[in-house]
């Protein structure tokens, strides 16, 4: 039974295999209205399959999906959910305004076409024929198409993949304005800095399962919020794991120094200098989401295994 304010997204025990290959291995996920969530994971983690099931494009083998309490297809048809669908080709001879007007006419409570154009930052493209749009412009028209029904939830699979830096900035500006009005956004991305900058919550997938889920800061805290890098002559990284406040120790990229991931960088630094007075070239910095990602998924974004410590 649904409550009066259902979740924007509710996935339970969601599972999908392609032959022998398990793409999504039974995931549970609840997203409240108003959240902006980034779905991350290496290639083949199951992100697109999850999104496709949420949009009713692929049926799950088992498990449940509701979007604002409704079945995905119904939610999409009702304009409750907006999506940038890559496979939909635009009518080449129609102008951007004509395309948006047509979509608006198919929905019960659309936003004004001018509003969608403004939000997507493509006011100047309104009279342009679809055939004459660049790849990045086409993506922003697709965004306007997703916005016109005035959905409560936007689901975007790698929305900025073919955009240049300027288009990407304009896109996130539009997304920020949309989210600021209390709407929910779920997006997948290969750009970790996008997740860090624009999502309040990150969900990390690997091999069809969710391996971390929480606010960006909390996910990073799980792997140690800060790193201390130092040259410690005659000491191997594993020996430094015993220091208080240290949760991980690996050789640095330069091969000489060691990187300590710390839950308490002040305590770790004090102990390091007290026990290893020869330590030098010390550097402290915040861990990046990239580091958290590698540590939690054991893979880089291309899906290649990364040696564990
Ligand atoms: N139509 C399909 N037929 C067969 N296997 C598929 C199909 N779609 C996806 N898969 C497989 O399911 C797994 C998950 O793929 P999916 O595209 O969901 O991952 P992803 O996280 O979106 O990856 P990427 O970042 O590369 O887009 C992969 O092993 C993929 O090869």
């Amino acid at each position: 039974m649904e409550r009066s304010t259902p979740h924007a997204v509710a996935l339970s025990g969601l599972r999908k295999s392609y032959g022998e290959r398990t793409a999504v291995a039974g995931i549970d996920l609840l997203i409240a209205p108003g959240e902006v969530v980034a779905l991350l994971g290496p290639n083949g983690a199951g992100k697109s399959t999850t999104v496709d099931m949420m949009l009713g494009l692929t049926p799950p083998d088992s498990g449940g999906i509701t979007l604002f309490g409704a079945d995905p297809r119904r939610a999409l048809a009702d304009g409750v959910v907006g999506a940038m669908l890559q496979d939909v080709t635009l009518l080449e001879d129609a102008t951007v305004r004509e395309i948006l007007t047509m979509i608006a006419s198919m929905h019960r409570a659309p936003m004004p076409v001018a509003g969608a154009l403004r939000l997507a930052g493509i006011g100047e493209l309104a009279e342009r024929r679809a055939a004459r749009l660049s790849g990045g412009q086409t993506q922003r028209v697709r965004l306007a198409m997703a916005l016109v029904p005035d959905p409560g939830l936007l689901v975007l699979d790698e929305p900025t993949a073919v955009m240049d830096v300027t288009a990407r900035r304009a896109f996130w500006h539009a997304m920020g304005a949309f989210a600021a009005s209390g709407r929910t956004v779920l997006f997948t991305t290969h750009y970790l800095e996008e997740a860090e900058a624009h999502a309040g919550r990150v969900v990390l997938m690997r091999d069809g399962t969710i391996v971390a889920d929480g606010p960006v800061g909390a996910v990073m805290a799980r792997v140690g919020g800060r790193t201390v890098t130092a040259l410690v002559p005659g000491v191997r990284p594993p020996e430094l794991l015993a220091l208080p406040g240290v949760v991980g120790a690996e050789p640095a990229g330069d091969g000489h120094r060691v990187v300590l991931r710390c839950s308490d960088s002040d305590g770790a630094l004090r102990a390091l200098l007290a026990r290893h007075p020869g330590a030098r070239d010390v550097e402290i910095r915040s861990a990046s989401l990239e580091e958290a990602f590698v540590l939690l998924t054991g893979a880089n974004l291309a899906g290649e295994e990364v040696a564990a410590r």
Side-chain angles (χ1 to χ4, degrees):
M1 205 193 310
E2 289 303 338
R3 302 180 325 186
S4 53
T5 51
H7 286 97
V9 175
L11 311 181
S12 62
L14 200 60
R15 190 175 281 280
K16 176 80 184 178
S17 297
Y18 295 101
E20 296 283 281
R21 175 87 207 174
T22 303
V24 175
I27 60 170
D28 300 304
L29 182 67
L30 292 176
I31 298 177
E35 286 195 275
V36 177
V37 179
L39 188 57
L40 299 170
N43 287 137
K47 306 178 299 289
S48 296
T49 305
T50 302
V51 165
D52 285 354
M53 289 192 282
M54 286 174 56
L55 296 175
L57 301 172
T58 304
D61 294 340
S62 57
I65 308 172
T66 57
L67 306 177
F68 288 108
D71 167 78
R73 279 167 181 267
R74 162 105 187 278
L76 208 58
D78 286 353
V80 170
V81 176
M84 281 167 69
L85 301 174
Q86 308 302 333
D87 297 341
V88 174
T89 43
L90 309 184
L91 288 170
E92 297 215 328
D93 290 336
T95 65
V96 170
R97 187 190 302 281
E98 285 166 350
I99 292 170
L100 295 177
T101 304
M102 193 173 70
I103 295 174
S105 73
M106 289 155 49
H107 290 278
R108 226 174 290 147
M111 70 168 73
V113 167
L117 286 166
R118 190 168 4 97
L119 206 50
I122 53 167
E124 78 286 0
L125 299 178
E127 311 312 329
R128 181 85 54 94
R129 294 197 186 283
R132 301 194 47 214
L133 296 168
S134 71
Q137 289 169 339
T138 303
Q139 280 299 84
R140 281 153 74 195
V141 170
R142 288 204 164 103
L143 172 64
M145 291 163 71
L147 291 170
V148 155
D150 204 8
L153 166 68
L154 264 186
V155 180
L156 308 169
D157 196 4
E158 292 191 39
T160 59
V162 299
M163 293 183 189
D164 63 17
V165 175
T166 315
R168 207 175 289 162
R169 199 174 299 137
F171 172 86
W172 285 115
H173 185 75
M175 212 40 48
F178 179 77
S181 63
R183 313 306 171 85
T184 315
V185 181
L186 174 80
F187 66 95
T188 71
T189 181
H190 275 228
Y191 300 105
L192 291 175
E193 64 275 16
E194 289 194 337
E196 207 158 5
H198 305 290
R201 174 179 170 192
V202 291
V203 174
L204 261 63
M205 285 187 77
R206 166 123 217 239
D207 293 337
T209 62
I210 292 175
V211 293
D213 177 359
V216 175
V219 169
M220 288 174 26
R222 252 186 72 180
V223 293
R226 295 208 167 162
T227 62
V228 171
T229 308
L231 188 66
V232 194
V235 180
R236 291 184 311 113
E239 297 169 40
L240 297 172
L241 265 178
L243 293 174
V246 172
V247 295
E250 303 89 23
D254 61 16
H256 300 295
R257 302 200 295 170
V258 59
V259 180
L260 305 177
R261 279 181 292 109
C262 306
S263 53
D264 168 16
S265 54
D266 292 340
L269 184 58
R270 266 195 291 272
L272 173 71
L273 295 174
R275 295 186 200 176
H276 304 281
R280 56 181 203 270
D281 283 350
V282 179
E283 212 177 274
I284 303 186
R285 61 185 180 80
S286 297
S288 67
L289 186 56
E290 174 100 44
E291 284 161 323
F293 181 87
V294 169
L295 285 157
L296 290 168
T297 66
N300 60 23
L301 275 180
E304 294 155 356
E305 293 288 332
V306 173
R309 68 174 160 85

